[in-house]
Amino acid sequence: METRQKTLSVSKLSDSGTEAQPNEEQLKSRARKISILEGSATSMQDGFGSRYITPFALALGASNTIIGLLSSLPQLIGCFFQIWSTKAMERFTRRQLVFWTVLTQAVLWLPLILIGSLFFTGHISGIAAIALFFTIYSLLVISGQLSGPPWNSWMSEIVDSEKGKYFSRRNKITTAVTLASMLIAGLILDYYKQRSILLGFSILFGIAFLGRLSSAMLFTKQHEPKIKFSQGYYFSFWQFLKKSLFNNYGRFVWFTTI
C-alpha cells in the first residue's frame, strides 16, 4: 500500500520534481466555473446600476426625449465600436481587451455618483448635470459593448461542447442574481427616497462599481486558449450586405432588422 501511494505521488510530479501542470481541458473546466462567478458579479452591476439609470435620469430632471435617447443612442454607437474590437483581437489578447474595457466600464460608475452629488447639492444646474450624465453613461455603455466580440470569441473556445446546457445553467444563475439585486436596490432606494435620494443612488452605483470591478478581476484568472485566425475570416460590412441574401445568417439579420 505504501509503495502504491509513493508511485501515485511520483506520477503527479513532472520530471522537474514539481506538480504536473493542469491540461487544457482542466483549465477550460476551471474557466467555466470562473465565468459563472464573473457573470454573477456583472449581474450585480445590472441589477443595482443599469436597471436604475432611468430613475436616476428622472431625478436629475431629464425629459422624455432624453430618456428615449438614453435607451437607444449609446447602444447604437456601441454596436459600431464593436467593429474596432473585432479587429483589435489581431493585436491584443482577448483577456486584455475584455479586462480593460470592463475595468473602464466599472470606473465610469464613480463619475455618475459625483454628478449626482454636484446636482443634488446645487453646485451644477440640471442642464449641465443631464449633459454630463448622458456623456458618461454613453461611454459606460460603449465600454461594455466593446467587450462583447472578444468575450464571445473567448467563451466559444472555453465552452467547446454542450454549449446549450452550460449557458442555460449560467443564465439561470445570473438572472437570479439580477432579480435579487433589483429587489434589494429597490428597497434601498425606497428607504432613502424621503431621507436622501442622493445617498440611495450613491449606494446603488457604488455596489454596481464593485460588482463590475470584481468581474474585471475574475477575467484575469480565467484561462484563455490561444486564438487562431482562419484565412479570410474578416469581411467588410459591404461584403456582408452582398452575401446576406444567400446565407442563413444574413437572412436572419434581415428578418430581425425588418
Side-chain angles (χ1 to χ4, degrees):
M1 177 66 75
E2 185 177 350
T3 303
R4 184 182 177 186
Q5 289 177 340
K6 289 181 178 179
T7 303
L8 290 172
S9 177
V10 171
S11 68
K12 294 179 181 179
L13 301 177
S14 63
D15 295 336
S16 62
T18 59
E19 276 195 31
Q21 294 297 315
N23 59 36
E24 184 72 9
E25 184 50 44
Q26 289 172 326
L27 290 171
K28 287 182 178 181
S29 176
R30 183 170 180 269
R32 289 191 288 269
K33 294 176 182 177
I34 292 174
S35 181
I36 292 176
L37 293 175
E38 180 277 317
S40 299
T42 300
S43 295
M44 289 178 61
Q45 174 196 238
D46 188 26
F48 282 98
S50 301
R51 301 302 177 98
Y52 286 90
I53 281 296
T54 297
F56 182 67
L58 291 172
L60 295 178
S63 65
N64 291 336
T65 301
I66 295 297
I67 297 299
L69 290 173
L70 194 68
S71 60
S72 57
L73 190 59
Q75 287 81 356
L76 177 63
I77 297 172
C79 288
F80 286 104
F81 273 92
Q82 286 184 340
I83 299 173
W84 173 85
S85 65
T86 301
K87 289 291 289 181
M89 285 190 283
E90 296 178 0
R91 296 183 56 191
F92 306 98
T93 67
R94 288 168 292 187
R95 179 187 284 114
Q96 288 174 327
L97 290 170
V98 172
F99 171 76
W100 286 109
T101 53
V102 167
L103 181 63
T104 300
Q105 187 179 40
V107 171
L108 285 171
W109 285 105
L110 300 179
L112 292 183
I113 298 175
L114 178 60
I115 291 168
S117 300
L118 294 174
F119 172 74
F120 287 112
T121 55
H123 288 85
I124 58 174
S125 66
I127 295 175
I130 292 169
L132 288 171
F133 163 71
F134 194 94
T135 302
I136 296 299
Y137 181 67
S138 296
L139 292 174
L140 187 150
V141 171
I142 292 169
S143 298
Q145 294 275 56
L146 282 171
S147 67
W151 183 84
N152 288 327
S153 172
W154 189 357
M155 290 301 295
S156 69
E157 295 185 20
I158 290 174
V159 189
D160 48 10
S161 63
E162 297 186 325
K163 286 182 169 63
K165 181 179 179 180
Y166 172 78
F167 283 108
S168 173
R169 177 169 174 264
R170 185 180 187 275
N171 289 343
K172 282 191 292 186
I173 294 172
T174 56
T175 300
V177 174
T178 299
L179 291 174
S181 298
M182 288 176 61
L183 177 61
I184 296 170
L187 293 173
I188 291 173
L189 207 57
D190 184 66
Y191 177 80
Y192 282 103
K193 69 179 180 181
Q194 299 299 335
R195 295 168 176 81
S196 173
I197 195 67
L198 167 61
L199 182 56
F201 279 116
S202 297
I203 293 172
L204 265 57
F205 293 168
I207 296 174
F209 159 72
L210 293 175
R212 200 51 165 156
L213 181 64
S214 300
S215 170
M217 295 301 106
L218 285 167
F219 278 122
T220 65
K221 301 179 183 300
Q222 187 173 297
H223 170 63
E224 179 190 6
K226 188 175 180 180
I227 191 171
K228 296 178 182 178
F229 295 101
S230 58
Q231 187 175 6
Y233 84 98
Y234 181 80
F235 51 87
S236 69
F237 178 69
W238 298 114
Q239 289 173 320
F240 165 74
L241 288 180
K242 289 178 182 178
K243 298 178 180 179
S244 61
L245 295 177
F246 304 99
N247 60 74
N248 291 334
Y249 178 70
R251 287 191 286 268
F252 171 76
V253 170
W254 280 112
F255 174 77
T256 54
T257 301
I258 297 173

